[in-house]
Amino acid sequence: MNNKDYISIGISIYNAEQYLGYAISSVLAQTHKYWELILVDDGSTDRSLEIAKDFAKLDDRIRVISDGNNRKLPYRLNQIIDEAKYSYIARMDADDLIHPERLERQLKFLIENPNYDLVSTGLVSIDNNNKVYGYRSPSSLDVDFNIVNSTYPINHATILVRKEWYQRNKYNVDFPRSQDYELWCRTSSNKDLAVAIIPDLLYYYREEGVISSKKLIKSYKAGYEAYSKYSGRNNLKKFATMRLKIATVKLLDRLGQLQLLARKRNRSELDLSIVKEHQKVIDTLLENASLGK
């Protein structure tokens, strides 16, 4: 691998002041040093923009884009694609962390496997106190996505993508809640979803505590709309499943147990040695983060 293969990392920011400094610091800690970090503020009303600008002053690989408007995630992701200088684009959310070897390992995979346009990874779930409580990933390389599916095991924020693929497959701004699922359905229907999911746990996803019933219900409805559109079928079973999910969300919300959904996505049996390993990585990242606390 040519260690000067550069990567554009894009983060869309909306009111993420509590964790943004940690997210950026985890990018700074990458073993692969050849990157630019594009921070796009989506009309934040907290200190997020200020924190982003403070980091940009300290590292010329970081640039900040802000127009003061709230245009939602799909618009900002398309903006990142247009702004990216390099041939590879990495996704990341503003309140998450990434493993120090994330960019290095994913880039190595795409260079060694030119028949793939995207590579996703496993993830580790963390709570608002940065504590590991679960993880999920395929047991082996997962690569078969040539048919429109009701679900895809692609963790959106973990992807590294060839820019040329992104340029021909932009996000649909009419799907602010399920922009990733709509993209997978559309590209698989066009036989243009050459994605590999590697089992490596390289992404720390702040999942518990951020789930809301309103957002989940919108996502389920948008997901069914995308599936119906690109599969060419109004599947009664899929519709019933969607309605059941919505009913379950409403019930759990009334019972104050909505966060159970975050834990249910992870493996039921956890290897404590893996939990300890990644908790150590996270603790080190937090100790080294000095800006934006």
Side-chain angles (χ1 to χ4, degrees), residues 165-227:
W165 183 89
Y166 252 153
Q167 287 175 320
R168 67 177 184 265
N169 294 298
K170 295 290 189 69
Y171 289 91
N172 188 335
V173 295
D174 293 329
F175 284 79
R177 284 302 311 162
S178 295
Q179 73 287 143
D180 53 338
Y181 181 72
E182 191 276 342
L183 182 61
W184 312 146
C185 287
R186 173 163 34 98
T187 53
S188 62
S189 71
N190 293 331
K191 308 300 181 186
D192 194 16
L193 186 59
V195 57
I197 304 171
I198 59 176
D200 308 45
L201 298 170
L202 300 176
Y203 195 91
Y204 301 120
Y205 183 37
R206 198 174 306 279
E207 190 168 26
E208 188 165 317
V210 300
I211 292 178
S212 76
S213 59
K214 184 177 179 180
K215 290 180 179 179
L216 280 174
I217 291 170
K218 286 183 177 180
S219 294
Y220 292 151
K221 290 181 177 179
Y224 177 74
E225 180 184 348
Y227 175 80

Short mmCIF file of all heavy atoms in Angstrom, two decimals, residues 165-227:
data_model
loop_
_atom_site.label_atom_id
_atom_site.label_comp_id
_atom_site.label_asym_id
_atom_site.label_seq_id
_atom_site.Cartn_x
_atom_site.Cartn_y
_atom_site.Cartn_z
N TRP A 165 -17.63 6.32 -6.90
CA TRP A 165 -18.92 5.66 -6.64
C TRP A 165 -19.91 6.67 -6.06
O TRP A 165 -21.06 6.74 -6.48
CB TRP A 165 -18.74 4.49 -5.69
CG TRP A 165 -20.01 3.72 -5.44
CD1 TRP A 165 -20.48 2.66 -6.16
CD2 TRP A 165 -20.98 3.95 -4.40
NE1 TRP A 165 -21.67 2.21 -5.64
CE2 TRP A 165 -22.01 2.99 -4.57
CE3 TRP A 165 -21.07 4.86 -3.36
CZ2 TRP A 165 -23.12 2.92 -3.72
CZ3 TRP A 165 -22.19 4.80 -2.51
CH2 TRP A 165 -23.19 3.84 -2.69
N TYR A 166 -19.44 7.44 -5.09
CA TYR A 166 -20.29 8.46 -4.47
C TYR A 166 -20.76 9.50 -5.49
O TYR A 166 -21.88 9.99 -5.42
CB TYR A 166 -19.52 9.16 -3.36
CG TYR A 166 -19.96 8.82 -1.95
CD1 TYR A 166 -19.05 8.91 -0.90
CD2 TYR A 166 -21.27 8.44 -1.65
CE1 TYR A 166 -19.44 8.62 0.41
CE2 TYR A 166 -21.66 8.16 -0.36
CZ TYR A 166 -20.73 8.24 0.67
OH TYR A 166 -21.14 7.96 1.96
N GLN A 167 -19.91 9.84 -6.42
CA GLN A 167 -20.28 10.87 -7.39
C GLN A 167 -21.42 10.42 -8.29
O GLN A 167 -22.20 11.25 -8.76
CB GLN A 167 -19.06 11.26 -8.23
CG GLN A 167 -18.05 12.09 -7.45
CD GLN A 167 -16.79 12.37 -8.23
OE1 GLN A 167 -16.27 11.51 -8.95
NE2 GLN A 167 -16.28 13.59 -8.12
N ARG A 168 -21.52 9.13 -8.53
CA ARG A 168 -22.63 8.64 -9.35
C ARG A 168 -23.80 8.15 -8.49
O ARG A 168 -24.85 7.78 -9.03
CB ARG A 168 -22.16 7.53 -10.29
CG ARG A 168 -21.73 6.23 -9.65
CD ARG A 168 -21.35 5.20 -10.72
NE ARG A 168 -21.00 3.90 -10.14
CZ ARG A 168 -19.77 3.51 -9.86
NH1 ARG A 168 -18.74 4.33 -10.11
NH2 ARG A 168 -19.53 2.32 -9.33
N ASN A 169 -23.64 8.16 -7.18
CA ASN A 169 -24.69 7.69 -6.27
C ASN A 169 -24.82 8.65 -5.09
O ASN A 169 -24.39 8.35 -3.97
CB ASN A 169 -24.39 6.28 -5.77
CG ASN A 169 -24.43 5.24 -6.87
OD1 ASN A 169 -25.46 5.03 -7.49
ND2 ASN A 169 -23.30 4.59 -7.13
N LYS A 170 -25.40 9.81 -5.35
CA LYS A 170 -25.59 10.80 -4.28
C LYS A 170 -26.75 10.39 -3.37
O LYS A 170 -27.57 9.52 -3.71
CB LYS A 170 -25.87 12.17 -4.88
CG LYS A 170 -24.72 12.77 -5.68
CD LYS A 170 -23.57 13.18 -4.78
CE LYS A 170 -22.51 13.98 -5.53
NZ LYS A 170 -22.96 15.31 -5.93
N TYR A 171 -26.84 11.04 -2.23
CA TYR A 171 -27.93 10.79 -1.29
C TYR A 171 -29.21 11.49 -1.76
O TYR A 171 -29.16 12.56 -2.37
CB TYR A 171 -27.56 11.29 0.10
CG TYR A 171 -26.51 10.45 0.78
CD1 TYR A 171 -25.15 10.77 0.64
CD2 TYR A 171 -26.85 9.34 1.54
CE1 TYR A 171 -24.17 10.00 1.25
CE2 TYR A 171 -25.87 8.57 2.15
CZ TYR A 171 -24.54 8.90 2.01
OH TYR A 171 -23.57 8.14 2.60
N ASN A 172 -30.34 10.90 -1.48
CA ASN A 172 -31.64 11.45 -1.82
C ASN A 172 -32.10 12.36 -0.69
O ASN A 172 -32.38 11.89 0.42
CB ASN A 172 -32.64 10.31 -2.04
CG ASN A 172 -33.97 10.79 -2.60
OD1 ASN A 172 -34.35 11.96 -2.41
ND2 ASN A 172 -34.69 9.90 -3.25
N VAL A 173 -32.20 13.65 -0.94
CA VAL A 173 -32.55 14.62 0.11
C VAL A 173 -34.00 14.48 0.56
O VAL A 173 -34.40 15.07 1.56
CB VAL A 173 -32.27 16.07 -0.35
CG1 VAL A 173 -30.79 16.28 -0.56
CG2 VAL A 173 -33.07 16.40 -1.61
N ASP A 174 -34.78 13.69 -0.16
CA ASP A 174 -36.17 13.45 0.25
C ASP A 174 -36.28 12.38 1.33
O ASP A 174 -37.39 12.07 1.79
CB ASP A 174 -37.02 13.04 -0.96
CG ASP A 174 -37.17 14.16 -1.97
OD1 ASP A 174 -37.19 15.34 -1.54
OD2 ASP A 174 -37.26 13.88 -3.18
N PHE A 175 -35.14 11.80 1.73
CA PHE A 175 -35.12 10.79 2.78
C PHE A 175 -34.19 11.23 3.92
O PHE A 175 -33.11 10.67 4.11
CB PHE A 175 -34.65 9.44 2.22
CG PHE A 175 -35.68 8.71 1.42
CD1 PHE A 175 -35.94 9.07 0.10
CD2 PHE A 175 -36.42 7.67 1.97
CE1 PHE A 175 -36.90 8.41 -0.64
CE2 PHE A 175 -37.38 7.01 1.24
CZ PHE A 175 -37.63 7.38 -0.08
N PRO A 176 -34.60 12.23 4.68
CA PRO A 176 -33.73 12.72 5.75
C PRO A 176 -33.50 11.72 6.88
O PRO A 176 -32.50 11.81 7.59
CB PRO A 176 -34.48 13.97 6.26
CG PRO A 176 -35.90 13.74 5.89
CD PRO A 176 -35.85 13.00 4.58
N ARG A 177 -34.42 10.77 7.08
CA ARG A 177 -34.27 9.80 8.17
C ARG A 177 -33.65 8.48 7.73
O ARG A 177 -32.98 7.83 8.52
CB ARG A 177 -35.64 9.51 8.81
CG ARG A 177 -36.15 10.60 9.70
CD ARG A 177 -35.21 10.91 10.84
NE ARG A 177 -34.77 9.72 11.56
CZ ARG A 177 -33.71 9.68 12.35
NH1 ARG A 177 -32.96 10.75 12.50
NH2 ARG A 177 -33.39 8.59 12.98
N SER A 178 -33.87 8.05 6.52
CA SER A 178 -33.35 6.76 6.05
C SER A 178 -32.53 6.93 4.79
O SER A 178 -32.66 6.18 3.83
CB SER A 178 -34.51 5.78 5.81
OG SER A 178 -35.18 5.49 7.02
N GLN A 179 -31.70 7.95 4.79
CA GLN A 179 -30.91 8.24 3.60
C GLN A 179 -29.95 7.10 3.25
O GLN A 179 -29.69 6.85 2.07
CB GLN A 179 -30.15 9.55 3.76
CG GLN A 179 -28.97 9.53 4.70
CD GLN A 179 -29.33 9.48 6.17
OE1 GLN A 179 -28.65 8.83 6.95
NE2 GLN A 179 -30.40 10.17 6.57
N ASP A 180 -29.46 6.39 4.24
CA ASP A 180 -28.55 5.28 3.96
C ASP A 180 -29.29 4.09 3.36
O ASP A 180 -28.88 3.54 2.34
CB ASP A 180 -27.79 4.87 5.21
CG ASP A 180 -28.70 4.58 6.41
OD1 ASP A 180 -29.85 5.06 6.43
OD2 ASP A 180 -28.26 3.86 7.33
N TYR A 181 -30.42 3.71 3.97
CA TYR A 181 -31.17 2.57 3.47
C TYR A 181 -31.68 2.83 2.06
O TYR A 181 -31.64 1.94 1.19
CB TYR A 181 -32.34 2.27 4.40
CG TYR A 181 -33.18 1.08 3.97
CD1 TYR A 181 -32.68 -0.21 4.09
CD2 TYR A 181 -34.43 1.27 3.42
CE1 TYR A 181 -33.43 -1.29 3.67
CE2 TYR A 181 -35.18 0.20 3.00
CZ TYR A 181 -34.69 -1.09 3.12
OH TYR A 181 -35.43 -2.16 2.69
N GLU A 182 -32.15 4.04 1.79
CA GLU A 182 -32.59 4.38 0.45
C GLU A 182 -31.45 4.24 -0.55
O GLU A 182 -31.64 3.74 -1.67
CB GLU A 182 -33.15 5.81 0.42
CG GLU A 182 -33.90 6.19 -0.85
CD GLU A 182 -33.00 6.66 -1.97
OE1 GLU A 182 -31.84 7.04 -1.71
OE2 GLU A 182 -33.45 6.64 -3.14
N LEU A 183 -30.26 4.65 -0.15
CA LEU A 183 -29.09 4.54 -1.02
C LEU A 183 -28.74 3.09 -1.30
O LEU A 183 -28.44 2.72 -2.44
CB LEU A 183 -27.90 5.26 -0.38
CG LEU A 183 -26.60 5.28 -1.19
CD1 LEU A 183 -26.80 5.99 -2.53
CD2 LEU A 183 -25.48 5.94 -0.39
N TRP A 184 -28.80 2.24 -0.27
CA TRP A 184 -28.49 0.81 -0.49
C TRP A 184 -29.53 0.19 -1.43
O TRP A 184 -29.17 -0.58 -2.33
CB TRP A 184 -28.45 0.04 0.83
CG TRP A 184 -27.68 0.63 1.95
CD1 TRP A 184 -27.98 0.53 3.30
CD2 TRP A 184 -26.46 1.39 1.92
NE1 TRP A 184 -27.06 1.18 4.06
CE2 TRP A 184 -26.11 1.73 3.25
CE3 TRP A 184 -25.64 1.84 0.88
CZ2 TRP A 184 -24.98 2.47 3.57
CZ3 TRP A 184 -24.51 2.59 1.19
CH2 TRP A 184 -24.19 2.90 2.51
N CYS A 185 -30.81 0.48 -1.21
CA CYS A 185 -31.86 -0.08 -2.07
C CYS A 185 -31.69 0.38 -3.52
O CYS A 185 -31.80 -0.42 -4.46
CB CYS A 185 -33.24 0.33 -1.56
SG CYS A 185 -33.79 -0.50 -0.04
N ARG A 186 -31.44 1.66 -3.68
CA ARG A 186 -31.32 2.21 -5.04
C ARG A 186 -30.12 1.63 -5.78
O ARG A 186 -30.23 1.25 -6.96
CB ARG A 186 -31.22 3.74 -4.96
CG ARG A 186 -30.93 4.42 -6.28
CD ARG A 186 -31.24 5.91 -6.26
NE ARG A 186 -30.98 6.55 -5.01
CZ ARG A 186 -29.88 7.25 -4.69
NH1 ARG A 186 -28.90 7.36 -5.58
NH2 ARG A 186 -29.76 7.83 -3.50
N THR A 187 -28.98 1.57 -5.11
CA THR A 187 -27.78 1.09 -5.79
C THR A 187 -27.80 -0.42 -6.00
O THR A 187 -27.28 -0.91 -7.01
CB THR A 187 -26.52 1.51 -5.02
OG1 THR A 187 -26.63 1.09 -3.65
CG2 THR A 187 -26.33 3.01 -5.07
N SER A 188 -28.40 -1.17 -5.08
CA SER A 188 -28.50 -2.61 -5.31
C SER A 188 -29.46 -2.90 -6.44
O SER A 188 -29.25 -3.84 -7.24
CB SER A 188 -28.94 -3.34 -4.03
OG SER A 188 -30.21 -2.92 -3.60
N SER A 189 -30.53 -2.09 -6.57
CA SER A 189 -31.46 -2.28 -7.68
C SER A 189 -30.79 -1.98 -9.02
O SER A 189 -31.18 -2.53 -10.05
CB SER A 189 -32.70 -1.40 -7.50
OG SER A 189 -32.40 -0.03 -7.70
N ASN A 190 -29.75 -1.13 -8.99
CA ASN A 190 -28.99 -0.80 -10.19
C ASN A 190 -27.75 -1.67 -10.36
O ASN A 190 -26.92 -1.41 -11.24
CB ASN A 190 -28.55 0.67 -10.15
CG ASN A 190 -29.72 1.63 -10.23
OD1 ASN A 190 -30.75 1.31 -10.82
ND2 ASN A 190 -29.57 2.80 -9.63
N LYS A 191 -27.62 -2.70 -9.49
CA LYS A 191 -26.45 -3.59 -9.51
C LYS A 191 -25.15 -2.80 -9.34
O LYS A 191 -24.15 -3.06 -9.99
CB LYS A 191 -26.40 -4.40 -10.82
CG LYS A 191 -27.68 -5.14 -11.17
CD LYS A 191 -28.07 -6.13 -10.09
CE LYS A 191 -29.35 -6.88 -10.47
NZ LYS A 191 -29.84 -7.76 -9.37
N ASP A 192 -25.20 -1.84 -8.42
CA ASP A 192 -24.04 -0.98 -8.21
C ASP A 192 -23.73 -0.84 -6.71
O ASP A 192 -23.34 0.23 -6.25
CB ASP A 192 -24.31 0.41 -8.83
CG ASP A 192 -23.04 1.24 -8.96
OD1 ASP A 192 -21.94 0.67 -8.87
OD2 ASP A 192 -23.16 2.47 -9.14
N LEU A 193 -23.91 -1.92 -5.97
CA LEU A 193 -23.59 -1.90 -4.54
C LEU A 193 -22.52 -2.95 -4.25
O LEU A 193 -22.77 -3.97 -3.64
CB LEU A 193 -24.85 -2.15 -3.70
CG LEU A 193 -24.69 -2.02 -2.18
CD1 LEU A 193 -24.20 -0.62 -1.80
CD2 LEU A 193 -26.00 -2.33 -1.46
N ALA A 194 -21.31 -2.66 -4.70
CA ALA A 194 -20.18 -3.55 -4.46
C ALA A 194 -19.56 -3.19 -3.12
O ALA A 194 -18.59 -2.45 -3.04
CB ALA A 194 -19.16 -3.44 -5.59
N VAL A 195 -20.15 -3.72 -2.06
CA VAL A 195 -19.72 -3.39 -0.70
C VAL A 195 -19.28 -4.64 0.03
O VAL A 195 -19.87 -5.71 -0.14
CB VAL A 195 -20.87 -2.69 0.08
CG1 VAL A 195 -22.12 -3.53 0.13
CG2 VAL A 195 -20.42 -2.31 1.50
N ALA A 196 -18.25 -4.49 0.83
CA ALA A 196 -17.80 -5.57 1.70
C ALA A 196 -17.93 -5.10 3.15
O ALA A 196 -17.67 -3.93 3.45
CB ALA A 196 -16.35 -5.93 1.40
N ILE A 197 -18.34 -6.01 4.01
CA ILE A 197 -18.43 -5.71 5.44
C ILE A 197 -17.40 -6.58 6.15
O ILE A 197 -17.54 -7.80 6.17
CB ILE A 197 -19.84 -5.97 5.98
CG1 ILE A 197 -20.87 -5.18 5.19
CG2 ILE A 197 -19.92 -5.60 7.46
CD1 ILE A 197 -22.29 -5.53 5.50
N ILE A 198 -16.38 -5.96 6.68
CA ILE A 198 -15.34 -6.72 7.37
C ILE A 198 -15.70 -6.82 8.85
O ILE A 198 -16.35 -5.93 9.40
CB ILE A 198 -13.96 -6.08 7.16
CG1 ILE A 198 -13.92 -4.63 7.67
CG2 ILE A 198 -13.56 -6.12 5.69
CD1 ILE A 198 -12.54 -3.98 7.58
N PRO A 199 -15.31 -7.90 9.51
CA PRO A 199 -15.70 -8.10 10.90
C PRO A 199 -14.96 -7.24 11.92
O PRO A 199 -15.37 -7.18 13.09
CB PRO A 199 -15.42 -9.59 11.13
CG PRO A 199 -14.37 -9.93 10.14
CD PRO A 199 -14.62 -9.07 8.93
N ASP A 200 -13.92 -6.53 11.50
CA ASP A 200 -13.13 -5.73 12.43
C ASP A 200 -14.00 -4.69 13.14
O ASP A 200 -14.78 -3.98 12.52
CB ASP A 200 -12.02 -4.98 11.69
CG ASP A 200 -11.17 -5.89 10.81
OD1 ASP A 200 -11.76 -6.73 10.11
OD2 ASP A 200 -9.94 -5.76 10.81
N LEU A 201 -13.83 -4.58 14.44
CA LEU A 201 -14.57 -3.59 15.25
C LEU A 201 -13.77 -2.30 15.27
O LEU A 201 -12.87 -2.11 16.09
CB LEU A 201 -14.78 -4.13 16.67
CG LEU A 201 -15.61 -5.41 16.78
CD1 LEU A 201 -15.55 -5.98 18.19
CD2 LEU A 201 -17.05 -5.16 16.37
N LEU A 202 -14.12 -1.38 14.37
CA LEU A 202 -13.31 -0.17 14.16
C LEU A 202 -14.07 1.12 14.41
O LEU A 202 -13.51 2.20 14.20
CB LEU A 202 -12.76 -0.16 12.73
CG LEU A 202 -11.86 -1.34 12.35
CD1 LEU A 202 -11.46 -1.25 10.88
CD2 LEU A 202 -10.63 -1.39 13.23
N TYR A 203 -15.30 1.02 14.87
CA TYR A 203 -16.13 2.22 15.05
C TYR A 203 -16.82 2.16 16.40
O TYR A 203 -17.38 1.12 16.78
CB TYR A 203 -17.17 2.31 13.93
CG TYR A 203 -17.83 3.67 13.81
CD1 TYR A 203 -17.30 4.64 12.98
CD2 TYR A 203 -18.97 3.98 14.54
CE1 TYR A 203 -17.89 5.90 12.87
CE2 TYR A 203 -19.57 5.23 14.43
CZ TYR A 203 -19.03 6.18 13.60
OH TYR A 203 -19.62 7.42 13.51
N TYR A 204 -16.81 3.29 17.13
CA TYR A 204 -17.45 3.37 18.44
C TYR A 204 -18.70 4.24 18.32
O TYR A 204 -18.61 5.46 18.17
CB TYR A 204 -16.46 3.92 19.47
CG TYR A 204 -15.23 3.04 19.58
CD1 TYR A 204 -13.96 3.54 19.30
CD2 TYR A 204 -15.35 1.70 19.92
CE1 TYR A 204 -12.84 2.74 19.38
CE2 TYR A 204 -14.23 0.88 20.00
CZ TYR A 204 -12.98 1.40 19.72
OH TYR A 204 -11.88 0.59 19.80
N TYR A 205 -19.85 3.58 18.38
CA TYR A 205 -21.13 4.19 18.05
C TYR A 205 -21.90 4.55 19.32
O TYR A 205 -22.24 3.67 20.11
CB TYR A 205 -21.93 3.19 17.21
CG TYR A 205 -23.27 3.65 16.72
CD1 TYR A 205 -23.48 4.96 16.31
CD2 TYR A 205 -24.33 2.76 16.61
CE1 TYR A 205 -24.71 5.37 15.83
CE2 TYR A 205 -25.57 3.15 16.13
CZ TYR A 205 -25.76 4.45 15.74
OH TYR A 205 -26.97 4.85 15.27
N ARG A 206 -22.16 5.85 19.49
CA ARG A 206 -22.89 6.31 20.67
C ARG A 206 -24.38 6.08 20.42
O ARG A 206 -25.09 6.96 19.95
CB ARG A 206 -22.59 7.78 20.95
CG ARG A 206 -22.94 8.21 22.36
CD ARG A 206 -22.49 9.64 22.61
NE ARG A 206 -21.09 9.84 22.33
CZ ARG A 206 -20.11 9.51 23.16
NH1 ARG A 206 -20.39 8.96 24.33
NH2 ARG A 206 -18.84 9.72 22.82
N GLU A 207 -24.82 4.89 20.77
CA GLU A 207 -26.15 4.44 20.40
C GLU A 207 -27.17 4.60 21.51
O GLU A 207 -28.27 5.10 21.30
CB GLU A 207 -26.05 2.96 19.99
CG GLU A 207 -27.28 2.39 19.37
CD GLU A 207 -26.99 1.05 18.74
OE1 GLU A 207 -26.04 0.35 19.19
OE2 GLU A 207 -27.71 0.68 17.82
N GLU A 208 -26.84 4.17 22.69
CA GLU A 208 -27.80 4.21 23.78
C GLU A 208 -27.98 5.64 24.29
O GLU A 208 -27.02 6.37 24.50
CB GLU A 208 -27.35 3.31 24.94
CG GLU A 208 -28.38 3.13 26.02
CD GLU A 208 -28.06 1.97 26.94
OE1 GLU A 208 -27.67 0.92 26.44
OE2 GLU A 208 -28.19 2.14 28.16
N GLY A 209 -29.21 6.05 24.46
CA GLY A 209 -29.49 7.39 24.94
C GLY A 209 -29.87 8.36 23.83
O GLY A 209 -30.37 9.44 24.10
N VAL A 210 -29.64 7.97 22.56
CA VAL A 210 -29.96 8.88 21.45
C VAL A 210 -31.17 8.41 20.66
O VAL A 210 -31.60 9.07 19.72
CB VAL A 210 -28.75 9.04 20.50
CG1 VAL A 210 -27.56 9.62 21.24
CG2 VAL A 210 -28.38 7.71 19.85
N ILE A 211 -31.73 7.27 21.03
CA ILE A 211 -32.89 6.75 20.31
C ILE A 211 -34.14 7.50 20.75
O ILE A 211 -34.37 7.72 21.93
CB ILE A 211 -33.07 5.24 20.60
CG1 ILE A 211 -31.92 4.45 19.96
CG2 ILE A 211 -34.40 4.73 20.06
CD1 ILE A 211 -31.98 2.97 20.23
N SER A 212 -34.97 7.91 19.79
CA SER A 212 -36.25 8.53 20.11
C SER A 212 -37.34 7.83 19.31
O SER A 212 -37.11 7.39 18.18
CB SER A 212 -36.24 10.03 19.78
OG SER A 212 -36.35 10.24 18.39
N SER A 213 -38.52 7.73 19.88
CA SER A 213 -39.62 7.03 19.21
C SER A 213 -40.00 7.76 17.92
O SER A 213 -40.30 7.12 16.91
CB SER A 213 -40.82 6.92 20.15
OG SER A 213 -41.26 8.21 20.55
N LYS A 214 -40.00 9.08 17.95
CA LYS A 214 -40.39 9.85 16.78
C LYS A 214 -39.47 9.57 15.60
O LYS A 214 -39.92 9.35 14.46
CB LYS A 214 -40.38 11.34 17.11
CG LYS A 214 -40.86 12.25 15.99
CD LYS A 214 -40.88 13.70 16.44
CE LYS A 214 -41.35 14.62 15.30
NZ LYS A 214 -41.36 16.04 15.73
N LYS A 215 -38.15 9.55 15.86
CA LYS A 215 -37.19 9.30 14.79
C LYS A 215 -37.27 7.87 14.28
O LYS A 215 -37.17 7.62 13.08
CB LYS A 215 -35.77 9.61 15.28
CG LYS A 215 -35.51 11.10 15.51
CD LYS A 215 -34.09 11.32 16.00
CE LYS A 215 -33.82 12.80 16.21
NZ LYS A 215 -32.43 13.03 16.71
N LEU A 216 -37.46 6.93 15.21
CA LEU A 216 -37.56 5.53 14.80
C LEU A 216 -38.76 5.30 13.89
O LEU A 216 -38.66 4.62 12.87
CB LEU A 216 -37.65 4.63 16.02
CG LEU A 216 -36.34 4.31 16.75
CD1 LEU A 216 -36.63 3.54 18.03
CD2 LEU A 216 -35.40 3.52 15.86
N ILE A 217 -39.89 5.86 14.27
CA ILE A 217 -41.11 5.68 13.48
C ILE A 217 -40.95 6.28 12.07
O ILE A 217 -41.32 5.67 11.07
CB ILE A 217 -42.32 6.29 14.21
CG1 ILE A 217 -42.65 5.45 15.45
CG2 ILE A 217 -43.53 6.37 13.29
CD1 ILE A 217 -43.67 6.07 16.37
N LYS A 218 -40.35 7.45 12.00
CA LYS A 218 -40.10 8.06 10.69
C LYS A 218 -39.16 7.19 9.85
O LYS A 218 -39.35 7.05 8.64
CB LYS A 218 -39.51 9.46 10.87
CG LYS A 218 -40.50 10.52 11.33
CD LYS A 218 -39.84 11.88 11.40
CE LYS A 218 -40.84 12.96 11.78
NZ LYS A 218 -40.19 14.29 11.86
N SER A 219 -38.15 6.61 10.52
CA SER A 219 -37.20 5.76 9.80
C SER A 219 -37.87 4.50 9.27
O SER A 219 -37.61 4.08 8.13
CB SER A 219 -36.04 5.38 10.73
OG SER A 219 -35.28 6.51 11.07
N TYR A 220 -38.73 3.89 10.08
CA TYR A 220 -39.43 2.67 9.64
C TYR A 220 -40.32 2.97 8.43
O TYR A 220 -40.35 2.20 7.46
CB TYR A 220 -40.28 2.11 10.77
CG TYR A 220 -39.49 1.55 11.93
CD1 TYR A 220 -40.01 1.55 13.23
CD2 TYR A 220 -38.22 1.00 11.75
CE1 TYR A 220 -39.30 1.04 14.29
CE2 TYR A 220 -37.50 0.49 12.81
CZ TYR A 220 -38.04 0.51 14.09
OH TYR A 220 -37.33 -0.01 15.14
N LYS A 221 -41.03 4.08 8.47
CA LYS A 221 -41.92 4.43 7.37
C LYS A 221 -41.13 4.75 6.11
O LYS A 221 -41.48 4.31 5.00
CB LYS A 221 -42.80 5.62 7.76
CG LYS A 221 -43.85 5.28 8.81
CD LYS A 221 -44.70 6.51 9.15
CE LYS A 221 -45.79 6.17 10.16
NZ LYS A 221 -46.61 7.37 10.52
N ALA A 222 -40.05 5.51 6.25
CA ALA A 222 -39.23 5.86 5.10
C ALA A 222 -38.56 4.61 4.52
O ALA A 222 -38.41 4.48 3.30
CB ALA A 222 -38.19 6.89 5.48
N GLY A 223 -38.14 3.71 5.41
CA GLY A 223 -37.51 2.49 4.96
C GLY A 223 -38.46 1.63 4.13
O GLY A 223 -38.08 1.08 3.09
N TYR A 224 -39.71 1.53 4.58
CA TYR A 224 -40.70 0.76 3.82
C TYR A 224 -40.97 1.42 2.47
O TYR A 224 -41.12 0.74 1.44
CB TYR A 224 -42.00 0.62 4.60
CG TYR A 224 -43.08 -0.12 3.83
CD1 TYR A 224 -43.00 -1.49 3.66
CD2 TYR A 224 -44.12 0.58 3.23
CE1 TYR A 224 -43.95 -2.17 2.92
CE2 TYR A 224 -45.08 -0.10 2.48
CZ TYR A 224 -44.99 -1.48 2.33
OH TYR A 224 -45.93 -2.14 1.59
N GLU A 225 -41.00 2.73 2.45
CA GLU A 225 -41.22 3.46 1.20
C GLU A 225 -40.09 3.17 0.20
O GLU A 225 -40.34 2.92 -0.99
CB GLU A 225 -41.30 4.96 1.47
CG GLU A 225 -41.52 5.80 0.23
CD GLU A 225 -41.50 7.29 0.52
OE1 GLU A 225 -41.55 7.68 1.71
OE2 GLU A 225 -41.43 8.08 -0.46
N ALA A 226 -38.85 3.18 0.69
CA ALA A 226 -37.71 2.92 -0.19
C ALA A 226 -37.72 1.48 -0.68
O ALA A 226 -37.47 1.20 -1.86
CB ALA A 226 -36.40 3.21 0.56
N TYR A 227 -38.01 0.55 0.23
CA TYR A 227 -38.05 -0.86 -0.16
C TYR A 227 -39.10 -1.10 -1.25
O TYR A 227 -38.84 -1.77 -2.25
CB TYR A 227 -38.34 -1.73 1.05
CG TYR A 227 -38.52 -3.20 0.69
CD1 TYR A 227 -37.42 -4.01 0.47
CD2 TYR A 227 -39.80 -3.75 0.55
CE1 TYR A 227 -37.57 -5.35 0.11
CE2 TYR A 227 -39.96 -5.07 0.20
CZ TYR A 227 -38.85 -5.87 -0.02
OH TYR A 227 -39.01 -7.19 -0.38
#
